Amino acid sequence: MNPIQTQKKDIRNRLLGQRDLIPHLMKMTYDQRICHFLWELMERMGHQTVHTYLPMGSEIDIFPFIGKCLQHKKTIIAPQTLPGRRFNNLELTSLQDVELGIFGTMHPAGNRVFEGSYDLIVLPGLACDAEKYRVGYGGGYYDTFLADWPEAHKVGVFYPFQQIEKVPREPHDMPLDDLLIGRDGSIVFS
């Protein structure tokens, strides 16, 4: 493991533990606000096709946002994690139509592979910085995926304590277009 990978691993361990301890009411408040801001972004930019994670564990719960998108007939795509840093990108038609995958992930059931393009990509993460780089779980899945979609609007969602001074970077790391970060009881869009 090189020094940058070691730094990222330390950040992951520290912030994952901190995220797991966020008080329930505070988490709910931030999650609701982030869902609201994601929807406003969708509406303002006219996005119709969204690639998004399906929350697991203590990740930001964006299921209300996903549900609203489905109600408004937006196309929702979620990844199925495959070996070799690859996603099988599947269309989600219902929040009840999901199944468990590897690493505790969930993905749409039915294997409806999506072959189109994305307007918006919503990403989770464990840390971010002001230059819009993120630290994920360490598999490199999203960096590989984002490299194929330079035109899509890429937004990461984070709790306030997840913003750090500088994310250690490797050549394959991809910056996001925007971050939604809870801060001081509100959401900062950068």
Side-chain angles (χ1 to χ4, degrees), residues 92-163:
L92 179 70
T93 56
S94 165
L95 289 175
Q96 287 72 46
D97 195 17
V98 297
E99 57 190 26
L100 288 176
I102 62 173
F103 307 124
T105 60
M106 289 186 297
H107 58 267
N111 204 33
R112 292 175 300 276
V113 176
F114 182 76
E115 301 288 346
S117 60
Y118 311 105
D119 299 322
L120 177 66
I121 299 173
V122 180
L123 297 91
L126 292 170
C128 64
D129 67 18
E131 294 180 42
K132 301 177 184 168
Y133 282 87
R134 66 182 271 283
V135 174
Y137 292 100
Y141 286 87
Y142 272 105
D143 291 315
T144 301
F145 174 70
L146 293 178
D148 292 335
W149 298 102
E151 301 300 319
H153 191 119
K154 296 165 276 303
V155 177
V157 294
F158 301 91
Y159 293 116
F161 58 84
Q162 292 178 291
Q163 186 170 15

Side-chain angles (χ1 to χ4, degrees), residues 3-15:
I4 292 176
Q5 291 170 333
T6 301
Q7 289 173 0
K8 286 182 175 181
K9 183 179 179 186
D10 292 344
I11 290 167
R12 282 185 195 102
N13 290 339
R14 180 172 46 90
L15 292 181

